[in-house]
Amino acid sequence: MSCARSRTAPGSAARRCSGGSSEGSGWSGRRKAGSRRWTPATARISPAERAFRSNPCGERKIAEGFARTGIPGTREERESVEKRVASWEKLRQDTLKRLGPEAVFGEGSPDARVAIVGEAPGYNEVRQGRPFVGRAGKLLDELLAQSGIEREEVYITNVVKIRPTREKGGRTSNRPPRVGEIREGMEALLKELELIEPEVLILLGNTPARALVGKSFAMTKHRGTLFRSVTGTPAVATFHPAYLLRQEGEDYRRVRRLVLEDLAAARRALEEEPELHELE
Ligand code: URA
């Protein structure tokens, strides 16, 4: 494992606006245009960005956000939001067309500073067409809340977009994704991350960690460490909530503590210039 100073984070200055009134929690602070330092949450943000932050993905939601705040932003700001949301929507529709109607695409704020990447959807996710809505998702929401992270502020997605299943004794159950499925999912995932431009990735489990940090990633050894991911974005991996659900008693408490530590490391990466490691 070698160490390197952070590059400039991928949140492009062009997309971030300046001016307007101040608002925001520690979690949602933004970098100043052209700066290599993280802008504290209390930095001034534009009305368009404020509307953006208070809205999950979707043009309609963003339009509602502008209406609700009563602050439309400049035409340039609106166009930039609309363009990115339109590209995201096209990618979503193309992916569903390519992979089928049971594919589960990512969701969340188009301006998220944090993207959470899981392995693959399960039964409940396919039924609802949304990532992390089953038992593991509920636990994830709880862990995020405990870490001071609002689900509405993040973008949540998976490496694999289709539920990998196996049949046994007339029962359908989940199975680990195959290499080809991971490759297929990565095609969409890399484009999603390019559009969202998060400043930090939280990788849940070995599948996203190996796909985005490196094949030699080992959870017990590398969890909680800030790596430079293949997209260039800082990434922290931690245990998958489904793994945590399988633990009991003291093991459950220990793993839960570790996950919370790792989420705190991701959060710190937004507030300080992070030191990034690379897997050899
Ligand atoms: N597990 C995952 O990795 N992703 C989901 O969306 C749900 C469960």
Side-chain angles (χ1 to χ4, degrees):
M1 210 160 63
S2 68
C3 238
R5 289 305 288 178
S6 153
R7 53 156 196 139
T8 302
S12 77
R15 188 176 124 202
R16 317 298 177 210
C17 320
S18 59
S21 59
S22 66
E23 189 185 91
S25 66
W27 186 242
S28 50
R30 276 266 171 226
R31 267 186 334 118
K32 263 193 207 132
S35 163
R36 291 177 69 88
R37 289 253 155 223
W38 308 106
T39 306
T42 47
R44 290 160 72 81
I45 60 167
S46 76
E49 184 151 346
R50 178 145 30 111
F52 225 176
R53 283 185 196 176
S54 61
N55 285 279
C57 262
E59 277 176 276
R60 187 179 54 80
K61 290 270 169 55
I62 284 173
E64 279 170 6
F66 283 134
R68 195 168 62 237
T69 57
I71 306 167
T74 66
R75 202 176 79 192
E76 211 179 42
E77 286 166 352
R78 277 202 310 275
E79 281 173 1
S80 139
V81 174
E82 281 160 15
K83 243 193 219 155
R84 217 149 42 80
V85 172
S87 304
W88 177 88
E89 182 55 27
K90 180 168 182 338
L91 176 62
R92 192 179 72 83
Q93 283 181 15
D94 289 351
T95 305
L96 296 185
K97 214 177 286 167
R98 183 166 64 89
L99 301 178
E102 297 221 319
V104 176
F105 200 68
E107 68 172 27
S109 166
D111 202 33
R113 297 183 72 195
V114 178
I116 297 178
V117 186
E119 180 177 283
Y123 173 79
N124 288 299
E125 285 74 23
V126 172
R127 278 193 65 180
Q128 295 188 38
R130 297 179 58 206
F132 282 101
V133 290
R135 273 183 78 216
K138 300 270 179 299
L139 178 56
L140 176 64
D141 289 350
E142 192 185 309
L143 293 163
L144 289 175
Q146 204 174 332
S147 308
I149 305 168
E150 297 278 336
R151 181 163 169 146
E152 289 69 31
E153 284 180 321
V154 303
Y155 185 79
I156 304 192
T157 189
N158 284 299
V159 174
V160 174
K161 309 299 185 197
I162 297 175
R163 181 188 178 203
T165 58
R166 61 160 76 94
E167 307 287 331
K168 204 174 169 190
R171 258 192 87 231
T172 305
S173 59
N174 296 340
R175 62 162 169 78
R178 301 190 179 111
V179 175
E181 293 166 334
I182 292 174
R183 202 176 301 128
E184 193 175 52
M186 284 293 281
E187 223 183 280
L189 176 65
L190 293 176
K191 290 180 191 157
E192 279 177 278
L193 296 178
E194 200 178 315
L195 284 170
I196 301 296
E197 292 186 334
E199 292 171 30
V200 69
L201 306 177
I202 297 174
L203 311 176
L204 301 176
N206 277 319
T207 298
R210 290 183 183 148
L212 288 162
V213 170
K215 282 197 192 111
S216 60
F217 185 92
M219 190 56 76
T220 45
K221 187 171 170 196
H222 297 133
R223 53 149 279 276
T225 302
L226 207 61
F227 286 100
R228 186 190 307 282
S229 70
V230 297
T231 67
T233 308
V236 177
T238 193
F239 295 104
H240 194 289
Y243 172 78
L244 178 53
L245 281 172
R246 292 195 295 273
Q247 310 304 306
E248 288 177 358
E250 186 46 42
D251 286 341
Y252 178 88
R253 286 189 285 279
R254 184 181 56 82
V255 176
R256 186 179 174 117
R257 238 183 351 259
L258 296 177
V259 172
L260 291 171
E261 272 175 24
D262 300 341
L263 294 178
R267 185 178 175 145
R268 270 197 310 279
L270 291 176
E271 281 144 21
E272 301 157 6
E273 188 168 1
E275 185 182 23
L276 299 183
H277 296 258
E278 274 167 39
L279 266 191
E280 271 145 20

